[in-house]
Amino acid sequence: MKYFNYSVVMNKERKLAFFAAVNIDGGQQQEIGKRTGDKWYRDPRIDENHQLGDEFYKKQTEVETDRTKNPFDRGHLVRRLDATWGKTVEIAKEHGDDSFHFTNCSPQFWRFNEGKRLWLGLEDYTRNKLLAQKNKGVIINGPVFDGPDAEKGKLPRPGDRAHKDPTFGGLKIPKYFWKIMATARDGKLVALGFLMSQRDQLLDIDRIKEADFEFTDASIRVYQYSIADLAKLTKLDFGKLATVDLHEAAAEGPRHIESFDDIRLG
């Protein structure tokens, strides 16, 4: 599914995206103002039954104090600010507004989605890296469907068997989300991969139904994760990105990121 500055590949069975990929031009970013009165749209190009909408998210307002009815945000995969570039402010705003399609979001526990050191913080990190030098780049995001279980305090091993995701409101909720940033450095393609888990948040929801695995008590964390391992975990083919990964996972494995300053750039 093609949109302004980004594309989405949908999973018809899960009603969510396999992944979304956005082009970012740091030299054409425009200041378009703050978000006000979010309005989300179904994409008329595909069947309504194949995309998750407000029947699940319950018409959330921008600020809610009680999240007991539904603790899941409409988590942007391609964030609005990543798409807000173009030759004029008007064009950039149109591009950013185009990110509010249900095909471009996935259910994320609200603390996970809004955390300055969590998903939101990682979004800021990758975008700011491109804007600082006015670079061009691509950000790819997506959920891990039925990812493996993990021991307490550890990430799943990409070669382990799949475990069904837990359900809430009749929907299977992804336990993990991943992000890849690709750009050029000194004229050469480079990439970084990350993995985050929202299993702890799922565990705290009384109505969540466990599938055929047991949740761990590991706290939510950001990990720098090899793109080769992300390919094994997601069953997606990232092409040559694994060969230009700045994180040498084969020697070190996943790296816990306490601060975004800890991210290694080769």
Side-chain angles (χ1 to χ4, degrees):
M1 311 287 294
K2 292 185 177 181
Y3 301 90
F4 288 124
N5 294 343
Y6 76 99
S7 298
V8 168
V9 176
M10 291 295 292
N11 181 317
K12 182 167 70 172
E13 180 182 348
R14 294 291 293 261
K15 302 182 181 182
L16 303 172
F18 279 110
F19 64 88
V22 59
N23 293 324
I24 298 178
D25 187 338
Q28 290 196 60
Q29 285 286 325
Q30 305 284 351
E31 179 56 55
I32 64 170
K34 295 182 178 181
R35 287 170 57 172
T36 56
D38 292 358
K39 187 172 182 180
W40 289 76
Y41 300 91
R42 291 183 183 272
D43 193 314
R45 294 175 292 178
I46 60 176
D47 194 298
E48 286 193 6
N49 294 328
H50 298 155
Q51 51 188 311
L52 193 67
D54 273 333
E55 74 281 359
F56 176 81
Y57 295 106
K58 309 298 185 186
K59 297 187 181 297
Q60 295 167 3
T61 57
E62 188 171 346
V63 178
E64 292 180 318
T65 56
D66 182 6
R67 298 302 302 269
T68 57
K69 292 183 179 180
N70 190 346
F72 293 102
D73 280 353
R74 295 165 296 204
H76 268 94
L77 294 177
V78 169
R79 71 184 306 197
R80 166 180 171 266
L81 291 177
D82 283 351
T84 53
W85 59 271
K87 293 183 178 180
T88 68
V89 172
E90 290 75 18
I91 291 174
K93 184 178 185 306
E94 182 182 16
H95 293 173
D97 290 345
D98 199 39
S99 69
F100 289 93
H101 280 90
F102 283 115
T103 49
N104 181 43
C105 71
S106 195
Q108 294 182 336
F109 190 84
W110 67 276
R111 286 196 184 101
F112 174 96
N113 181 48
E114 300 170 19
K116 290 288 187 182
R117 294 180 60 189
L118 305 176
W119 187 255
L120 176 60
L122 187 55
E123 288 179 325
D124 287 339
Y125 171 85
T126 51
R127 179 173 181 268
N128 291 342
K129 277 294 178 184
L130 296 177
L131 266 59
Q133 303 297 325
K134 296 186 177 181
N135 287 342
K136 294 180 180 180
V138 178
I139 305 294
I140 315 171
N141 308 274
V144 178
F145 293 132
D146 295 330
D149 196 10
E151 296 179 11
K152 182 178 179 180
K154 296 183 180 180
L155 284 180
R157 293 178 297 186
D160 286 352
R161 69 178 181 87
H163 281 270
K164 292 181 180 179
D165 287 329
T167 62
F168 180 92
L171 182 78
K172 294 171 70 176
I173 308 294
K175 303 183 291 294
Y176 313 109
F177 286 87
W178 56 271
K179 184 186 291 286
I180 291 175
M181 177 178 71
T183 186
R185 190 171 72 176
D186 298 327
K188 295 182 179 180
L189 178 67
V190 295
L192 287 170
F194 303 93
L195 183 70
M196 294 184 63
S197 167
Q198 63 175 8
R199 287 177 301 173
D200 263 11
Q201 280 75 4
L202 300 183
L203 180 62
D204 290 336
I205 303 171
D206 292 337
R207 289 174 292 166
I208 207 79
K209 296 178 181 178
E210 293 189 18
D212 64 345
F213 73 100
E214 182 177 340
F215 282 113
T216 74
D217 294 326
S219 61
I220 185 169
R221 294 176 176 179
V222 179
Y223 286 88
Q224 194 168 347
Y225 206 79
S226 99
I227 295 173
D229 282 345
L230 285 178
K232 295 176 184 176
L233 197 64
T234 61
K235 307 297 189 295
L236 298 174
D237 182 357
F238 297 116
K240 68 182 296 182
L241 291 182
T243 67
V244 296
D245 191 351
L246 293 176
H247 176 55
E248 297 183 11
E252 300 180 11
R255 291 188 62 252
H256 177 211
I257 304 302
E258 294 279 1
S259 161
F260 290 110
D261 292 333
D262 295 339
I263 294 173
R264 293 183 184 173
L265 302 176

